[in-house]
Amino acid sequence: VSSCLGVVVGSTCWAYCSSGHHGVPRQYRCDGFQVTAIGSEISCIKGLGPHRMSPPEPQRIGRRLSGDCDADVAAAGLTATGIAHDCLGKSAGELCAVFCAAGYTLESGQAPAFYQCTA
């Protein structure tokens, strides 16, 4: 799963493992007609592991969004300046990534936050 759909050329986005898989989120850059990994490519392994994302580890979930994520992004503060996400269009049980908008950067060693839509 990624936040790369519809990003502008030169922008960055995040890839992360879907439900039922685990792995480390990785950042990518849109270079025209392709998306290129910044550093290592993402690798997702089926099943739950020590760094599982489904069900998410509590410390990896910044907040649980209720019901349809589209209706809850403003209440969760995801419309604030400097914040980007791929929560729109997600439904109950799905994960979404929250990361820095273009022109902003994560602190060194930090990864995006993950939210989960709940019913």
Coordinates of all heavy atoms in Angstrom, one line a residue, residues 15-17 21-26 42-45 47 51-53 60 114:
A15 N 5.5 4.0 1.2 CA 4.9 2.7 1.0 C 4.9 1.9 2.3 O 5.9 2.1 3.1 CB 5.7 1.9 -0.1
Y16 N 3.9 1.2 2.6 CA 3.8 0.4 3.8 C 3.0 -0.9 3.6 O 2.3 -1.0 2.6 CB 3.2 1.3 4.9 CG 1.8 1.9 4.6 CD1 0.6 1.3 5.0 CD2 1.7 3.1 3.9 CE1 -0.6 1.8 4.7 CE2 0.5 3.6 3.6 CZ -0.6 3.0 4.0 OH -1.9 3.6 3.7
C17 N 3.2 -1.8 4.5 CA 2.6 -3.1 4.3 C 1.1 -3.1 4.5 O 0.6 -2.4 5.4 CB 3.3 -4.1 5.2 SG 5.0 -4.3 4.9
H21 N 0.3 -8.4 6.7 CA 1.8 -8.4 6.3 C 2.5 -7.5 7.2 O 1.9 -6.6 7.9 CB 1.9 -7.9 4.9 CG 1.3 -8.8 3.9 ND1 0.0 -8.8 3.6 CD2 1.9 -9.7 3.0 CE1 -0.3 -9.7 2.7 NE2 0.8 -10.3 2.3
H22 N 3.8 -7.7 7.3 CA 4.6 -6.8 8.2 C 5.9 -6.4 7.4 O 6.4 -7.1 6.5 CB 4.9 -7.4 9.5 CG 5.8 -8.6 9.5 ND1 5.3 -9.8 9.3 CD2 7.2 -8.7 9.7 CE1 6.3 -10.7 9.3 NE2 7.5 -10.0 9.6
G23 N 6.4 -5.3 7.8 CA 7.7 -4.7 7.2 C 7.9 -3.3 7.6 O 7.0 -2.7 8.2
V24 N 9.0 -2.7 7.2 CA 9.3 -1.4 7.6 C 8.9 -0.4 6.5 O 9.1 -0.6 5.3 CB 10.9 -1.2 7.8 CG1 11.2 0.2 8.1 CG2 11.3 -2.1 8.9
P25 N 8.1 0.7 6.8 CA 7.7 1.6 5.8 C 8.9 2.3 5.1 O 10.0 2.4 5.8 CB 7.0 2.7 6.6 CG 6.7 2.2 8.0 CD 7.7 1.1 8.2
R26 N 8.8 2.5 3.9 CA 9.9 3.1 3.1 C 9.4 4.3 2.3 O 8.3 4.4 1.8 CB 10.5 2.1 2.1 CG 11.0 0.9 2.7 CD 12.3 1.2 3.5 NE 12.8 0.0 4.0 CZ 13.8 -0.1 5.0 NH1 14.2 1.0 5.5 NH2 14.2 -1.2 5.4
I42 N 10.8 -1.4 -0.3 CA 10.0 -1.9 0.8 C 9.9 -3.5 0.6 O 10.0 -4.0 -0.5 CB 8.5 -1.4 0.8 CG1 7.8 -1.8 2.1 CG2 7.8 -1.7 -0.5 CD1 6.6 -1.0 2.4
S43 N 9.9 -4.2 1.7 CA 9.8 -5.6 1.7 C 8.7 -6.0 2.7 O 8.8 -5.7 3.9 CB 11.1 -6.2 2.1 OG 11.0 -7.6 2.2
C44 N 7.6 -6.6 2.3 CA 6.6 -7.0 3.2 C 6.5 -8.6 3.2 O 6.6 -9.2 2.2 CB 5.2 -6.5 2.7 SG 5.2 -4.7 2.7
I45 N 6.3 -9.1 4.4 CA 6.3 -10.5 4.6 C 4.9 -10.9 5.1 O 4.4 -10.2 6.1 CB 7.3 -11.0 5.6 CG1 8.7 -10.6 5.1 CG2 7.2 -12.5 5.9 CD1 9.8 -10.8 6.1
G47 N 1.9 -12.5 7.1 CA 1.8 -13.0 8.4 C 2.2 -11.9 9.4 O 2.6 -10.8 9.1
H51 N 7.3 -6.9 14.1 CA 7.0 -5.5 13.7 C 5.7 -5.4 12.9 O 5.6 -4.7 11.9 CB 8.2 -4.9 12.9 CG 9.5 -5.0 13.7 ND1 9.7 -4.2 14.8 CD2 10.6 -5.7 13.6 CE1 10.9 -4.4 15.3 NE2 11.4 -5.4 14.5
R52 N 4.8 -6.2 13.3 CA 3.5 -6.3 12.5 C 2.8 -5.0 12.4 O 2.9 -4.2 13.3 CB 2.6 -7.4 13.1 CG 2.0 -7.0 14.5 CD 1.2 -8.2 14.9 NE 0.5 -7.8 16.2 CZ 0.9 -8.3 17.4 NH1 1.9 -9.1 17.5 NH2 0.2 -7.9 18.4
M53 N 2.0 -4.9 11.4 CA 1.2 -3.7 11.2 C -0.2 -4.0 11.2 O -1.1 -3.2 11.1 CB 1.6 -3.0 9.9 CG 3.0 -2.4 10.0 SD 3.5 -1.5 8.6 CE 2.2 -0.2 8.6
R60 N 2.4 2.3 17.3 CA 2.5 2.7 15.9 C 1.2 3.5 15.4 O 1.2 4.0 14.4 CB 2.8 1.6 15.0 CG 4.1 0.8 15.2 CD 5.3 1.6 14.9 NE 5.2 1.9 13.5 CZ 6.0 2.9 12.9 NH1 6.7 3.6 13.6 NH2 5.9 3.1 11.6
F114 N 0.8 5.9 11.6 CA -0.2 5.1 11.0 C -1.5 5.2 11.8 O -1.5 5.1 13.0 CB 0.2 3.6 10.9 CG 1.3 3.5 9.9 CD1 2.6 3.6 10.3 CD2 1.1 3.4 8.5 CE1 3.7 3.5 9.4 CE2 2.1 3.4 7.6 CZ 3.4 3.4 8.0

